[in-house]
Amino acid sequence: MSVWPAWEVREEAGATAWFGVRLAFPDGALVEALAVVAEGCVSVEDVRARPALSLDDLTVLADWIEDPLFDACGLGPAPTAEEATGSGRARPAWPRGIEGRRLVAEEYRAAQEDGVDPVLAVMCATGHSRRKSLRMIAQARDAGYLTPRHARR
């Protein structure tokens, strides 16, 4: 397996780092991923595999790459879920429904005011991937907590 830094965003509170990961297997199978390490957690952003991964393989992909990513960051071994969150949950609790949409909008606007990437701020706050965070932002827009992205004609 090989791990290389893709890019890093530094903020006052710390840094978020993206890494490219490649797993090559003896039978010719190949898995390439883009992973994010932020606040002691690993999130997988994008995965390409030949042949395609099964759902079971996707669920264990983060486990396969977690320790090498933490080593590449100089963080040592990956924390267990209980060490990372104190509750045994892999990601922080985030309210659902209207309360969650309101909080997403608050994170988004605060990041805009601070001049940082609002999508990344929502990702860090919720512990979700970029895709899921964009979906949550769209839901906050639909609920009226954020202004429309584009004026419709």
Side-chain angles (χ1 to χ4, degrees):
M1 174 165 49
S2 58
V3 177
W4 64 95
W7 67 90
E8 183 174 19
V9 175
R10 292 197 174 272
E11 297 176 341
E12 294 173 9
T16 300
W18 282 261
F19 290 88
V21 179
R22 178 175 292 136
L23 294 130
F25 296 91
D27 64 357
L30 180 69
V31 177
E32 294 180 324
L34 180 64
V36 178
V37 178
E39 298 178 6
C41 296
V42 172
S43 299
V44 178
E45 289 293 312
D46 187 39
V47 176
R48 293 187 181 134
R50 273 190 331 252
L53 295 175
S54 69
L55 289 176
D56 291 335
D57 289 341
L58 277 173
T59 59
V60 297
L61 178 62
D63 293 335
W64 292 346
I65 65 175
E66 192 171 50
D67 286 334
L69 281 172
F70 279 106
D71 288 341
C73 293
L75 298 175
T80 65
E82 286 185 16
E83 290 171 342
T85 64
S87 67
R89 290 179 54 94
R91 78 171 43 111
W94 192 261
R96 295 179 181 231
I98 291 178
E99 179 65 14
R101 291 181 188 114
R102 185 184 63 74
L103 291 173
V104 163
E106 286 178 8
E107 288 288 337
Y108 188 93
R109 283 193 303 269
Q112 281 182 320
E113 290 171 7
D114 292 343
V116 297
D117 181 359
V119 177
L120 183 60
V122 171
M123 289 169 57
C124 290
T126 63
H128 289 292
S129 69
R130 183 171 191 82
R131 183 174 292 158
K132 174 68 176 173
S133 295
L134 287 168
R135 192 174 310 128
M136 294 171 79
I137 292 166
Q139 291 170 346
R141 283 188 200 289
D142 291 345
Y145 292 114
L146 293 170
T147 58
R149 180 100 175 125
H150 302 288
R152 298 182 188 209
R153 296 179 185 194

